[in-house]
Amino acid sequence: MTPVSSRYPMAELAHLPEDIRDKILEVQEKAGFVPNVFLALARRPAEWRAFFAYHDALMLKEEGSLTKGDREMIVTVTSAANQCLYCVVAHGALLRIYEKKPMVADQVAVNWRKADISMRQKAMLEFAMKVCERSHEIDNADFPPLHAHGFSDEDIWDIAAITAFFGLSNRMASFSGMQPNDEFYLMGRLPREKKA
């Protein structure tokens, strides 16, 4: 396993509060491994709970027109702009899986304008990048192009909130030296083997 951080020790599962330990074990059961972010942030339980509550509110919500792939695409593109290795690799893996496109994460991380994605997704990413890099320049003129692609005002809020939240996540991962799990690099690149 890749070390989680060169600067801060990973929390030990056995010493964590029960609610956090149970959530991490649930993730391990589903993914087959524990993503390093869970143990890296668990060194501060109150912050872990707040971080993952907001993460889940944004990334797991059912309302609105953003798909899971759209949400992971926003994270991958803005994390690339913020040069966050952990989030580009981890969320790029989820993006490949949700979009069922093995090359899409690499494409959007390097140059989303030339990626094999829809015009709707390009409009979404144009706005996300403005929030990421120049949020002080957002004005009313930024909304009609998104409305024209079927995004509601609540969807636009989601695009901005995901971008802003992962701005925090990117900075925490980068300053702490968090490294992506090796498992993320290959996820979604090749078709899954069918079980016999």
Side-chain angles (χ1 to χ4, degrees):
M1 176 191 277
T2 305
V4 69
S5 171
S6 60
R7 298 185 187 100
Y8 291 89
M10 215 173 3
E12 292 185 34
L13 198 56
H15 299 127
L16 292 175
E18 185 176 1
D19 63 313
I20 294 176
R21 186 172 57 250
D22 289 348
K23 178 69 174 172
I24 292 173
L25 290 173
E26 181 182 317
V27 169
Q28 182 179 33
E29 175 71 23
K30 185 174 180 181
F33 65 99
V34 177
N36 288 336
V37 65
F38 285 90
L39 295 175
L41 298 182
R43 59 190 308 278
R44 293 188 168 202
E47 292 173 33
W48 188 99
R49 291 182 187 102
F51 181 93
F52 284 104
Y54 196 35
H55 171 279
D56 292 355
L58 292 172
M59 301 301 284
L60 304 180
K61 73 184 292 186
E62 300 291 330
E63 304 85 27
S65 73
L66 295 182
T67 66
K68 288 182 178 181
D70 290 338
R71 293 170 195 278
E72 297 299 342
M73 192 177 291
I74 293 165
V75 178
T76 303
V77 168
T78 59
S79 296
N82 291 328
Q83 299 184 47
C84 178
L85 177 66
Y86 186 92
C87 291
V88 170
V89 173
H91 291 275
L94 295 173
L95 172 58
R96 289 190 297 272
I97 290 166
Y98 290 137
E99 291 290 299
K100 296 178 176 53
K101 291 179 164 181
M103 295 178 284
V104 69
D106 299 318
Q107 292 174 351
V108 299
V110 173
N111 187 346
W112 59 269
R113 287 180 177 89
K114 294 185 178 182
D116 181 21
I117 58 175
S118 70
M119 293 307 294
R120 175 187 172 277
Q121 289 170 322
K122 287 182 181 179
M124 172 188 78
L125 296 177
E126 183 82 44
F127 181 73
M129 286 301 296
K130 190 168 184 181
V131 172
C132 178
E133 298 177 331
R134 306 180 323 280
S135 60
H136 59 283
E137 294 179 12
I138 299 286
D139 61 30
N140 290 341
D142 293 301
F143 286 70
L146 293 165
H147 293 150
H149 285 282
F151 293 107
S152 69
D153 286 341
E154 294 305 314
D155 294 330
I156 296 168
W157 181 290
D158 287 342
I159 295 166
I162 291 166
T163 301
F165 175 78
F166 279 93
L168 162 72
S169 181
N170 296 160
R171 285 156 179 82
M172 293 301 293
S174 293
F175 109 88
S176 67
M178 195 184 306
Q179 295 298 307
N181 302 66
D182 292 343
E183 291 90 340
F184 283 126
Y185 286 95
L186 296 180
M187 287 171 59
R189 292 195 185 274
L190 298 172
R192 291 180 104 173
E193 292 181 20
K194 300 209 191 265
K195 294 181 181 177

